[in-house]
Amino acid sequence: EIEDVLTLHPGVLEAAAVGVRDERSGEAVKADLHLGYQIRTDVLEVFLRNPQTGEWLSDTPEGRLIATTLAVALRDVIADRLGIASSEMGFGYRLDRDLDTRQGRSVIQLFDEASGGAGFVLTGLNKIALLLGKTLERLHCPVNCENVCSHCLASQDSRVEREELDRKLALQWLSKSQLVEHLVALSG
């Protein structure tokens, strides 16, 4: 009963109450609380492996820079296809390790900003080859800027600093790996 009352508060995720010895009254109630907010949303994780070498997108600083750049470009591609603002989706990467090879890797993450998930990022699930192809196209800046500009990756709502992106490095990784061509051949 005590736990039920404690978990009515929106900031309490879990609660447990137990009886403990108390010198004054003999027994007292002690509550353990797990505080915080839990938000559920849709998340798309993209694990990229070079089909030429079998190497994952690495967990090195360079690999993280490529992952961040590809995440921004992929988010923008999905937003354009859906006709929504790219700010409706968040992006990032997480570091992971392949269980078989123990190789470190950077995993691209896209997520809906709306609590509960709006389903935006999940539209990319069945069309990943097409979306990565469009991502590759987006990395080819129409004005051939030095790194990023408003014509390619620096949209007005981008929450990432220009130094956190490297369009040419991401373009080089995708082109050299021939990942898009490999995925298109598999799906065709």
Side-chain angles (χ1 to χ4, degrees):
E1 291 179 24
I2 294 172
E3 291 93 341
D4 293 337
V5 172
L6 292 172
T7 57
L8 289 175
H9 188 280
V12 177
L13 292 178
E14 297 175 301
V18 295
V20 295
R21 288 186 64 153
D22 182 66
E23 292 182 16
R24 286 186 230 155
S25 64
E27 189 173 58
V29 174
K30 179 181 177 194
D32 289 319
L33 304 175
H34 181 135
L35 300 177
Y37 289 92
Q38 187 173 22
I39 297 174
R40 298 190 188 276
T41 192
D42 294 325
V43 177
L44 174 64
E45 289 193 324
V46 182
F47 296 74
L48 296 180
R49 188 178 219 167
N50 182 329
Q52 305 297 319
T53 64
E55 298 287 316
W56 293 102
L57 178 57
S58 73
D59 62 350
T60 63
E62 183 177 277
R64 294 176 208 162
L65 186 60
I66 293 168
T68 302
T69 304
L70 291 175
V72 169
L74 188 56
R75 175 200 64 166
D76 290 350
V77 165
I78 293 172
D80 286 351
R81 289 185 59 80
L82 295 175
I84 62 170
S86 58
S87 60
E88 296 283 337
M89 294 175 285
F91 63 89
Y93 68 88
R94 71 176 177 84
L95 300 180
D96 187 60
R97 190 165 299 282
D98 182 291
L99 294 177
D100 295 328
T101 66
R102 304 302 301 154
Q103 180 186 2
R105 58 190 175 187
S106 295
V107 180
I108 296 169
Q109 294 182 313
L110 299 176
F111 52 90
D112 291 338
E113 288 287 359
S115 179
F120 298 142
V121 298
L122 296 183
T123 62
L125 202 52
N126 297 337
K127 302 173 187 141
I128 197 67
L130 173 71
L131 294 175
L132 284 173
K134 295 289 185 189
T135 298
L136 183 61
E137 290 174 18
R138 183 170 287 266
L139 293 173
H140 287 282
C141 180
V143 297
N144 198 26
C145 69
E146 189 59 35
N147 187 24
V148 297
C149 69
S150 60
H151 297 283
C152 55
L153 294 178
S155 61
Q156 64 258 34
D157 62 45
S158 184
R159 294 175 306 243
V160 66
E161 297 297 321
R162 292 177 192 266
E163 300 82 41
E164 296 175 41
L165 300 176
D166 192 323
R167 178 182 65 80
K168 291 181 178 178
L169 189 60
L171 181 60
Q172 178 186 18
W173 191 91
L174 273 182
S175 298
K176 189 175 179 180
S177 71
Q178 297 182 343
L179 178 63
V180 173
E181 295 83 353
H182 177 76
L183 292 173
V184 168
L186 285 177
S187 63

